[in-house]
Amino acid sequence: MNVERSIEHLLELHARAEQRMDKAEARMDRTDRQIEAIRKLVKTGMKLIVRIEATQAEIQKAQARSDAKIDRLAEIWLKRPPNGHSKR
């Protein structure tokens, strides 16, 4: 067995292994960046959901106030005589 050829072969194997390792590291880096981007999207989405829920609660409160005002107005309107004169 030729020692020089064996060493050359081992060096080639090592070089190919390093290339594969570099490619794997590049893929892992890309995956890490994608995961970070997804994390940011989820965080932003959760903030929007909280904001929307708060806005919906405010809208419901405003709607309840409007409904109460309309009910009071209808009650006053219905108590008035139909011809616009007082009942005296």
Side-chain angles (χ1 to χ4, degrees):
M1 187 176 225
N2 188 350
V3 175
E4 285 182 23
R5 279 185 74 189
S6 295
I7 292 174
E8 257 183 53
H9 179 67
L10 290 174
L11 290 173
E12 287 174 14
L13 288 176
H14 182 70
R16 281 190 266 165
E18 283 187 4
Q19 287 175 344
R20 285 195 308 272
M21 181 66 85
D22 290 343
K23 287 181 182 178
E25 286 177 357
R27 283 192 305 269
M28 286 188 292
D29 289 343
R30 186 175 61 243
T31 301
D32 288 344
R33 287 191 306 272
Q34 290 171 341
I35 289 171
E36 181 62 21
I38 292 169
R39 188 192 66 76
K40 287 179 181 178
L41 284 172
V42 169
K43 185 176 179 180
T44 302
M46 293 302 293
K47 286 180 181 180
L48 287 173
I49 288 170
V50 168
R51 192 178 306 158
I52 288 169
E53 288 176 351
T55 302
Q56 287 176 340
E58 290 173 16
I59 290 171
Q60 289 173 347
K61 288 177 185 177
Q63 184 66 45
R65 287 191 304 268
S66 295
D67 289 347
K69 288 178 183 180
I70 290 172
D71 289 345
R72 284 194 308 265
L73 179 61
E75 187 178 313
I76 291 168
W77 190 262
L78 290 174
K79 287 181 179 179
R80 296 179 64 182
N83 61 5
H85 296 287
S86 65
K87 293 183 178 181
R88 294 186 203 183

